Amino acid sequence: MLVVEYGDVEYAPGIFDPPLATWGGIGASASYFIVQSQPVPDAKNATAFVLAGKVVGGSSAINGQFFDRPSRHDLDAWAACGGSGKNKWDWKDVFPFYKKSVNFTAPPAAAVQKYNYTWDASVYGPGPIYSSFPPFLWADHHIVRGAWKDVGVPERRECAGGDKDGLCWIPISQHPVTARRSHAGVGHYTAVNATRPNYDLLVKHQVVRVVYPKGPKHGPPVVELRSLVDNTLINITAKAEVILAAGVFHTPTILQRSGIGKRSLLETANISVVIDLPGVGSNFQDHSGPAVSWNCSCRPAPFKDLNLFPGSH
């Protein structure tokens, strides 16, 4: 097995890591792409940007470590839109893979008693990515949570089982012992590679396109790579299969450069059409991130009395 990676092996700082001696702002992170949107007419031509991981581990090495899962109803609706088939993307078929991917560690009894954490261990299974609850919460966390309860939002023991209508505790992708970020570069490569001599990693190479010398019905394809060091092009052949897993931004561009996509778009770009597949690069949707602000009418305690970092000096 050969994994081709655009980025390199880097240390991936966690959101909850101790602060650096010299803070580098948003640059204090593993490498990433900045993907800028076009102006959106329905939002007064506003633009937005998204960060995508450019490192072994992908975006799991740069994200906020908010280890959440979708609602079962969203996945069931998604599957309904796709029609019938053997492999569906409904909750029933996807849930076993969610369980397989993560190793959840229960928080210490002291943290459970202090913050009233709740969870359901049955929705997690032994996997390569670790998750746990943080050992401390900021002082305003329960104030906000109490406000949601006051307006009638119910509390749930667990949301990772597909039921998302209510308040629940979401774990973070952090190793419970080392307290460092747990991400795909560690869980799916470093940990596995020690026992898999047939698992190889090629860094600093861009997958340009896939090529079918005898046509798309005769695979697997040849993979064309570009070295980011000296800009040379090389071809990789596969005996079994080729899996494109370059994320929602870069997988469609690889397919389109390969001649797989909407015919009119490919012809406009002078790319020979291999497979006319209009859905490639279309229907991208992102979730919103609305901010919530509030005023506090009570007099805050002096800063020296706030125990923000239990056990620190």
Side-chain angles (χ1 to χ4, degrees):
M1 177 183 293
L2 173 65
V3 176
V4 179
E5 171 59 54
Y6 191 101
D8 203 347
V9 177
E10 298 182 30
Y11 172 66
I15 297 297
F16 303 96
D17 281 6
L20 304 175
T22 302
W23 174 242
I26 196 171
S29 167
S31 299
Y32 51 80
F33 296 95
I34 300 179
V35 182
Q36 186 75 37
S37 77
Q38 296 295 317
V40 181
D42 294 337
K44 297 183 179 181
N45 290 324
T47 61
F49 71 90
V50 179
L51 304 182
K54 186 170 59 175
V55 59
V56 175
S59 294
S60 67
I62 68 165
N63 64 16
Q65 297 182 248
F66 191 70
F67 212 67
D68 198 10
R69 292 175 182 170
S71 164
R72 65 170 73 244
H73 304 294
D74 286 344
L75 289 185
D76 289 345
W78 191 0
C81 293
S84 61
K86 180 180 179 181
N87 298 315
K88 293 184 177 181
W89 287 89
D90 59 7
W91 178 260
K92 177 177 175 292
D93 288 342
V94 174
F95 180 55
F97 293 95
Y98 283 139
K99 292 184 63 176
K100 183 180 179 180
S101 68
V102 58
N103 192 335
F104 175 78
T105 300
V112 177
Q113 182 178 9
K114 184 174 183 178
Y115 300 122
N116 297 317
Y117 286 136
T118 60
W119 67 93
D120 180 0
S122 69
V123 302
Y124 301 99
I129 305 300
Y130 289 90
S131 73
S132 59
F133 290 127
F136 78 95
L137 294 174
W138 299 112
D140 62 351
H141 194 105
H142 279 80
I143 297 176
V144 178
R145 189 179 179 90
W148 288 117
K149 291 169 61 177
D150 287 346
V151 298
V153 178
E155 290 186 283
R156 279 196 174 273
R157 179 186 176 195
E158 176 66 75
C159 279
D163 298 312
K164 301 296 292 290
D165 53 332
L167 291 170
C168 53
W169 297 102
I170 306 297
I172 57 177
S173 50
Q174 176 175 289
H175 195 285
V177 177
T178 66
R180 289 186 172 181
R181 175 193 292 272
S182 182
H183 62 93
V186 176
H188 291 285
Y189 177 70
T190 305
V192 178
N193 189 49
T195 59
R196 288 282 300 271
N198 62 333
Y199 188 3
D200 298 300
L201 175 67
L202 179 63
V203 299
K204 294 185 178 181
H205 279 76
Q206 177 193 18
V207 176
V208 179
R209 58 177 182 155
V210 292
V211 181
Y212 292 88
K214 298 181 180 180
K217 294 183 178 181
H218 300 275
V222 174
V223 182
E224 183 179 272
L225 308 180
R226 179 176 69 89
S227 169
L228 301 179
V229 177
D230 57 18
N231 211 37
T232 58
L233 293 176
I234 59 175
N235 289 333
I236 298 292
T237 58
K239 294 181 179 180
E241 63 180 351
V242 171
I243 299 174
L244 293 182
V248 296
F249 299 116
H250 297 112
T251 300
T253 60
I254 295 173
L255 290 172
Q256 290 170 344
R257 288 195 297 264
S258 306
I260 302 173
K262 187 176 182 180
R263 178 177 294 276
S264 59
L265 174 65
L266 299 178
E267 291 177 344
T268 300
N270 294 320
I271 298 175
S272 300
V273 179
V274 176
I275 301 177
D276 182 11
L277 204 59
V280 174
S282 301
N283 303 318
F284 173 77
Q285 299 179 42
D286 196 5
H287 61 77
S288 60
V292 177
S293 60
W294 66 91
N295 294 322
C296 181
S297 58
C298 60
R299 183 177 180 181
F303 185 80
K304 65 179 182 179
D305 294 335
L306 292 179
N307 186 18
L308 299 180
F309 300 96
S312 64
H313 299 281

